[in-house]
């Protein structure tokens, strides 16, 4: 259940250009699931609205948020330093259904700033499922790649080796080598190179830009795999009251009788086949 509270910054550092790793102290009863988010605000009267930030992970009373500077609000967050006070509302929304992934094989796909919650997903599943992660970066500026513990593939739209070159390398040489392409296109290419077999996977969990999520939805339908995708929309309240973050759904909502759902309330994680994107 979401609660609003004031807390202090534990640490804040830039880990790549305009990408910040913000750690906050949180109460012992702060229980979150990867895929959920928080609304965070700084003590600045000129910035009244809190900003939604996906939860990367939460452990030992430290909440980790990794975000990109995208406007004035996130610029303010990037300037926070240890000891500064912030206001947090969270955890908010619905995360990935990890119970479904227990004792199964899960493919995790993360793109850009959608990678942080995928890290949280991998850590949540590490003791109960077999996991493969494919991480897509738009350039050579990678982040969080060293945090991933399981088999993972790094991809980049603007650099890296071809899948054919990658397949020719030894398993040791492949470590931390970037493959040219985005997360979904590389997943398909890895299958052609016999380095990935979609038939082995039961579930896909994905977070990233909308074009990537559309490709994930299509891929899941083609391969007959259940996919959960995390949507991002502009949010004002974060609790479903303002209706500013609705997305189109396949089925009508039982209460409003329209094909809409609130990303902050019914999401941000949806079964891919349930939403129109």
């Amino acid at each position: 259940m979401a609660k609003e509270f004031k807390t202090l910054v534990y640490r804040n550092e830039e880990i790549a250009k305009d990408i910040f790793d913000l750690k906050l102290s949180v109460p012992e009863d702060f229980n979150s699931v990867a895929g959920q988010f928080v609304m965070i605000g700084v003590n600045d009267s000129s910035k009244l609205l809190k900003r939604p930030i996906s939860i990367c992970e939460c452990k030992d009373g430290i909440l980790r948020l990794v975000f990109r500077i995208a406007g004035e609000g996130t610029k303010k967050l990037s300037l926070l330093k240890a000891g500064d006070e912030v206001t947090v509302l969270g955890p908010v929304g619905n995360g990935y259904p990890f119970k479904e992934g227990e004792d199964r094989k899960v493919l995790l796909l993360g793109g850009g700033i959608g990678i942080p919650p995928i890290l949280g997903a991998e850590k949540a599943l590490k003791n109960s499922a077999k996991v493969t992660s494919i991480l897509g970066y738009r350039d050579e500026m990678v982040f969080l790649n060293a945090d991933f513990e399981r088999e993972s593939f790094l991809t980049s739209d603007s650099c890296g080796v071809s899948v054919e070159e990658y397949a020719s390398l030894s398993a040791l040489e492949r470590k931390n080598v970037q493959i040219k392409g985005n997360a979904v296109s590389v997943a398909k290419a890895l299958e052609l190179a016999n380095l990935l077999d979609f038939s082995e996977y039961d579930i896909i969990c994905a977070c990233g830009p909308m074009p990537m999520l559309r490709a994930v939805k299509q891929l899941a339908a083609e391969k007959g795999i259940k996919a959960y995708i995390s949507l991002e929309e502009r949010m004002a309240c974060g609790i479903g009251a303002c209706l500013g973050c609705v997305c189109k759904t396949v089925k009508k909502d039982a209460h409003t009788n329209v094909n809409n759902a609130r990303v902050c309330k019914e999401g941000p994680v949806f079964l891919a086949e349930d939403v129109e994107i």
Side-chain angles (χ1 to χ4, degrees), residues 149-161:
E149 302 171 1
R150 299 298 187 86
E151 179 183 16
S152 64
F153 300 96
L154 305 182
T155 82
S156 173
D157 281 334
S158 60
C159 65
V161 303

Side-chain angles (χ1 to χ4, degrees), residues 111-267:
I113 205 60
I115 289 173
I118 293 300
L119 174 60
E122 184 185 87
K123 292 193 173 185
L125 289 165
K126 68 179 182 179
N127 295 322
S128 62
K130 187 172 182 180
V131 177
T132 299
S133 302
I134 301 181
L135 316 175
Y137 300 88
R138 63 185 178 187
D139 52 37
E140 69 278 3
M141 192 69 70
V142 301
F143 55 93
L144 297 181
N145 56 307
D147 292 72
F148 282 80
E149 302 171 1
R150 299 298 187 86
E151 179 183 16
S152 64
F153 300 96
L154 305 182
T155 82
S156 173
D157 281 334
S158 60
C159 65
V161 303
S162 68
V163 174
E164 291 75 20
E165 292 170 321
Y166 187 85
S168 70
L169 301 175
S170 68
L172 184 62
E173 289 174 322
R174 289 176 193 153
K175 189 174 179 64
N176 290 329
V177 173
Q178 294 182 43
I179 314 168
K180 188 171 181 61
N182 59 51
V184 178
S185 65
V186 166
K188 292 180 178 179
L190 288 170
E191 182 184 42
L192 293 175
N194 296 317
L195 295 173
L196 191 70
D197 184 355
F198 284 109
S199 67
E200 295 181 354
Y201 291 92
D202 303 294
I203 296 173
I204 297 174
C205 293
C207 186
M210 190 60 74
M212 172 192 152
L213 297 182
R214 291 191 185 102
V216 169
K217 179 177 178 176
Q218 182 178 351
L219 174 68
E222 291 173 355
K223 302 297 183 180
I225 306 173
K226 183 179 288 188
Y228 290 94
I229 57 177
S230 178
L231 302 185
E232 287 189 4
E233 293 288 348
R234 290 186 176 273
M235 297 180 187
C237 71
I239 57 174
C242 71
L243 302 180
C245 63
V246 296
C247 67
K248 195 169 183 59
T249 56
V250 174
K251 299 177 182 177
K252 292 185 183 296
D253 177 77
H255 299 290
T256 61
N257 200 37
V258 295
N259 294 76
N260 285 336
R262 298 162 295 181
V263 171
C264 70
K265 192 73 173 179
E266 285 77 44

Side-chain angles (χ1 to χ4, degrees), residues 47-159:
K47 299 294 176 188
L48 298 179
L49 292 178
K50 299 181 181 65
R51 264 45 182 184
I53 307 289
S54 296
I55 294 172
C56 179
E57 56 181 319
C58 186
K59 183 180 179 182
D60 299 328
I62 300 296
L63 174 65
R64 187 181 190 187
L65 309 172
V66 178
F67 65 93
R68 173 184 284 124
I69 296 177
E72 286 301 314
T74 44
K75 177 65 175 178
K76 291 283 186 182
L77 294 181
S78 74
L79 299 176
L80 292 170
K81 58 186 184 298
D84 286 346
E85 185 180 73
V86 295
T87 301
V88 175
L89 172 66
V92 185
N94 296 299
Y96 296 103
F98 295 121
K99 284 291 183 183
E100 287 192 32
E102 291 181 357
D103 300 319
R104 305 176 83 181
K105 194 163 184 180
V106 182
L107 179 61
L108 302 178
L109 301 175
I113 205 60
I115 289 173
I118 293 300
L119 174 60
E122 184 185 87
K123 292 193 173 185
L125 289 165
K126 68 179 182 179
N127 295 322
S128 62
K130 187 172 182 180
V131 177
T132 299
S133 302
I134 301 181
L135 316 175
Y137 300 88
R138 63 185 178 187
D139 52 37
E140 69 278 3
M141 192 69 70
V142 301
F143 55 93
L144 297 181
N145 56 307
D147 292 72
F148 282 80
E149 302 171 1
R150 299 298 187 86
E151 179 183 16
S152 64
F153 300 96
L154 305 182
T155 82
S156 173
D157 281 334
S158 60
C159 65

